Amino acid sequence: MPDSRVGNGYDIHRLVPGRPLVLGGVRIPFPKGVQGHSDGDPVAHAVVDALLGAAALGDIGKAFPDTDPAYANIDSKLLLAEASRAVADKGWSVRNVDVTVLLEAPRLAPHTHLMVAAIAQALGVDGSAVSVKAKTNEGLGEIGRGEAVACFATVLIAAASPTRTGDALG
Ligand code: MG
């Protein structure tokens, strides 16, 4: 087994009135929110896909089908925790997560530290292993018009040392 592997994930959701804006497990006050079968959190979904991709465990659609009523309006932090458990079960531990959120408004800077903490807690890793960056789309396209929010995530996993597997599971 190789020592380490990398995975990437991407997700995009529509922004619509009457839904909560949940990003990286944090509810952010805003008149519009994310449309989705779950809570729609594109940050959590991108990280889940990056985790599953790194361990070659498929993708979020296969792991958590949006046709399954069990996942209706579910807190996507639970999907994050479940994906990290699946990765740990294969003998991997998460070394770091790097996230870029594309969103025209609101500004995420006041919330990124909370998003880091929520993602780290769901994954059972230290906050120093998680990075959340945010940027606008310079007014371009559906993201620039405030109709959507997208997220890219990269995850590095490494072979878990036997003494640390329990830590990673939290
Ligand atoms: Mg999604």
Side-chain angles (χ1 to χ4, degrees):
M1 191 157 87
D3 290 343
S4 61
R5 295 169 58 131
V6 70
N8 74 82
Y10 168 77
D11 197 23
I12 185 167
H13 281 249
R14 285 180 194 276
L15 286 169
V16 294
R19 288 274 301 179
L21 180 59
V22 180
L23 297 174
V26 176
R27 185 164 177 167
I28 294 162
F30 195 61
K32 292 203 275 188
V34 271
Q35 194 174 55
H37 180 66
S38 63
D39 62 10
D41 184 342
V43 178
H45 297 174
V47 174
V48 165
D49 254 352
L51 283 166
L52 296 175
L57 289 172
D59 62 45
I60 189 169
K62 189 175 111 190
F64 312 109
D66 64 7
T67 49
D68 187 337
Y71 300 119
N73 293 311
I74 197 174
D75 179 344
S76 292
K77 288 197 297 293
L78 299 173
L79 308 184
L80 265 182
E82 211 165 306
S84 101
R85 214 172 294 125
V87 167
D89 283 349
K90 292 286 180 186
W92 301 106
S93 73
V94 176
R95 290 304 160 90
N96 79 296
V97 177
D98 186 26
V99 162
T100 300
V101 187
L102 294 171
L103 178 67
E104 211 63 21
R107 280 189 72 246
L108 291 185
H111 309 284
T112 49
H113 68 290
L114 295 172
M115 295 163 67
V116 164
I119 294 166
Q121 188 181 19
L123 298 180
V125 301
D126 193 80
S128 63
V130 178
S131 152
V132 175
K133 314 183 300 298
K135 61 195 301 173
T136 72
N137 215 36
E138 295 288 338
L140 295 166
E142 58 277 358
I143 295 169
R145 289 191 298 271
E147 296 167 7
V149 51
C151 181
F152 294 94
T154 304
V155 167
L156 183 74
I157 59 174
S161 62
T163 52
R164 292 198 52 197
T165 309
D167 300 345
L169 288 169

